[in-house]
Amino acid sequence: MTSLKHTPYRQYFPSLTTNNQLAYLDSAASTQVPEAVLSAMDKYYRQGHGNVHRASHSFARLATNAFESARKSIAQFIGAESQNIIWTSGSTQACNILARGLAQQLNQGDEIWISELEHHSNLVPWQQLAQQQKAKLRAIPILENGDLNLAYFRENLSDKCKIVAVSQVSNAIGSIQPVPEISRLAHQVGAKVVVDGAQAVAHLSVDVQRLGCDYYYFSGHKLYGPTGIGVLYGTESALELLEPSNFGGEMISKVAIEQSQWNSLPYRLEAGTPNIVGAIGLAAAIEFLSQFPSQQRLQHERDLLAYALRKLQQHPAVELVGQPMMRTGLIAFNLRGIHPQDAATLFDQYNVAVRCGHHCAMPLGNKLSPQGSIRLSLGLYNDQQDIDQALEAIDKIMELFDE
Amino acid sequence: MNKTPQIELNLAQIEQNFAHCQAWEERYRQLLLLAKQLQAMPEQYKQPQSLVQGCESEVWLHQDAQQLYLDSNARIIKGLIVIVLACYQAQPQHPQRLFEQTLDSLGLAHHLSESRNNGIRAIWQEIEQLG
């Protein structure tokens, strides 16, 4: 059991030990990067960089080995096999690969289901696909507390549905979605299940087999890794369904002027030179996390979130946005009578980094809190002092505004 | 400004209010107090088409025969709007330049983020378009 007051994890993050005045509570937007990741990326370039899967010289061989071994670590981390892992530039690109790659599976009148909670990156690509194929985009509504109305989904789901795309954890209110149940229902009508894991991978132990989904994707920069790298997982048959939408080198096996043949998976979906150093950085992040017992690591965050939630609930000026049954990683709220944008400006002045606005989930915002909200989100480097600093800032902001 | 101003105090009075501010909190306190000086914009003018695009919070701008109205649901922006209007009143020729100088002399320029600055710029652009 780690103490809430001090986290042993903080010391590994140079940006937070250098700037120790800042309470960084915006990990849902992007996590800070540990020394191990920085040095792995630095070492890669210093020891010799080469392109992967191409040349036979030593730099290229080392790069290929490191790149493919990174694929293996990422696969293990989510309970998958490495041939089921496609590198992407992030969650958004992963969702776009899916939406374009599944176009041929959809006919006029078919349905794509998402939820009202979705981040724009798991909404706009499906909206575009629906328009292009004359399919219908439907949304699982939310209940008053922010949880999904699963009964509505159960009653309205039919075999017209071909794709169900939901987030495992909402980036706006932190609710954990019942993905195994959604997968089961969707599979009963023969639909494919896509899970946006961007807000989940850092806070839950993810096992794609247990979730029962066909596709799962996330970004490296929310998992203590660098930006510009992400992962798309799919079961073998689900990946086989995807038509490539990026064409070029690496994704082909035979090219003639008139005609080309596609490479095997995963390369068929990875056109061009990949983000090699990004993959190495992300693997280093996973290796960094794996050195700690995962139960202990996740428990520290859960305890801290419970502390923050209790304190915020007790605060007379705080109005929580969404009160989901199960949540992880973050809390959304407003300060009574204060526009979140005003609050954001002042939090910044008090050295508290939180996010304000619609959190790129406007349909949800419009339902729960039209003017937006303040989002406090955790990483494993946070401790009680960060939360207390945010609470003190709230008191001071209220004082300024009440005059 | 040839129309009735939406504020009662002028730029000199604003500068006086900030004259003795030391810590940034006092400057913000003054800014929040300024916000209270802004006469409310009639609710019927707060239509989607009068929203200023590019602001993080809602800012409405509407002009009728008597008056140019500006309003926001965020208090810090409202305070800044008071300064915008005071500058417009003081120097209708180059109000934006005066506004930037004023933010500097009030000790506020340093505290405003780039996205907020973009929002204020958007307000100035709309005012200019009114002619």
Side-chain angles (χ1 to χ4, degrees), chain A residues 40 82 104 109 114 274 306:
Chain A
S82 46
Q104 296 189 359
I114 55 164

Side-chain angles (χ1 to χ4, degrees), chain A residues 24-31 199 221-222 330 355 375 377:
Chain A
Y24 186 77
L25 294 166
D26 195 20
S27 294
S30 215
T31 44
Q199 293 299 337
H221 73 99
K222 295 186 201 277
L330 64 97
R355 174 85 189 273
R375 182 182 70 185
S377 60

Side-chain angles (χ1 to χ4, degrees), chain A residues 337-339 341-343 345-346 348-350 358 370-371 396-397 399-403, chain B residues 24-25 28-29 32-33 36 56-58 73-77 110-113 115-116:
Chain A
I338 300 181
H339 193 280
Q341 208 49 55
D342 284 338
T345 308
L346 294 171
D348 176 41
Q349 295 291 318
Y350 288 114
H358 292 108
Q371 62 172 2
K396 289 179 187 159
I397 292 169
E399 224 172 275
L400 266 177
F401 267 78
D402 281 347
E403 274 175 33
Chain B
W24 70 264
E25 272 164 312
Y28 267 98
R29 185 169 288 125
L32 293 170
L33 289 173
K36 294 187 178 173
E56 289 179 337
S57 46
E58 285 80 22
N73 55 358
R75 191 113 67 95
I76 291 173
I77 281 283
H110 168 71
H111 292 288
L112 296 175
S113 69
S115 52
R116 168 124 318 147

Side-chain angles (χ1 to χ4, degrees), chain A residues 160-180:
Chain A
K160 277 193 200 154
C161 173
K162 296 292 178 286
I163 298 162
V164 179
V166 290
S167 55
Q168 190 181 1
V169 172
S170 150
N171 77 305
I173 61 169
S175 55
I176 303 176
Q177 264 62 264
V179 171

Side-chain angles (χ1 to χ4, degrees), chain B:
Chain B
M1 192 192 286
N2 32 22
K3 302 190 175 181
T4 324
Q6 211 180 328
I7 49 170
E8 278 166 12
L9 73 184
N10 61 33
L11 199 54
Q13 288 167 306
I14 292 174
E15 279 174 344
Q16 190 142 37
N17 288 352
F18 279 79
H20 303 291
C21 289
Q22 298 288 328
W24 70 264
E25 272 164 312
E26 291 168 41
R27 293 181 217 285
Y28 267 98
R29 185 169 288 125
Q30 286 306 326
L31 192 60
L32 293 170
L33 289 173
L34 276 190
K36 294 187 178 173
Q37 300 281 330
L38 188 70
Q39 285 166 26
M41 175 171 168
E43 283 301 312
Q44 73 263 26
Y45 293 155
K46 292 184 180 172
Q47 299 300 324
Q49 64 269 22
S50 28
L51 276 173
V52 178
Q53 295 293 315
C55 298
E56 289 179 337
S57 46
E58 285 80 22
V59 174
W60 294 273
L61 183 146
H62 179 85
Q63 188 178 232
D64 67 13
Q66 281 82 41
Q67 198 160 345
L68 166 73
Y69 292 101
L70 271 169
D71 206 348
S72 172
N73 55 358
R75 191 113 67 95
I76 291 173
I77 281 283
K78 251 170 130 165
L80 292 168
I81 285 174
V82 171
I83 303 175
V84 164
L85 290 171
C87 292
Y88 196 72
Q89 231 178 326
Q91 208 185 92
Q93 297 310 315
H94 298 288
Q96 192 176 351
R97 198 183 303 161
L98 178 63
F99 175 77
E100 271 151 26
Q101 288 162 2
T102 306
L103 280 193
D104 240 354
S105 69
L106 299 183
L108 286 170
H110 168 71
H111 292 288
L112 296 175
S113 69
E114 196 44 43
S115 52
R116 168 124 318 147
N117 277 333
N118 287 338
I120 298 282
R121 232 168 273 144
I123 296 176
W124 279 118
Q125 269 167 16
E126 296 244 354
I127 291 179
E128 269 172 27
Q129 279 166 15
L130 292 174

Side-chain angles (χ1 to χ4, degrees), chain A residues 95 114 118-126 165-167 194 196 217:
Chain A
C95 190
I114 55 164
E118 297 316 311
H119 187 276
H120 299 162
S121 63
N122 192 33
L123 191 168
V124 183
W126 302 117
V166 290
S167 55
V194 177
D196 166 0
Y217 66 76

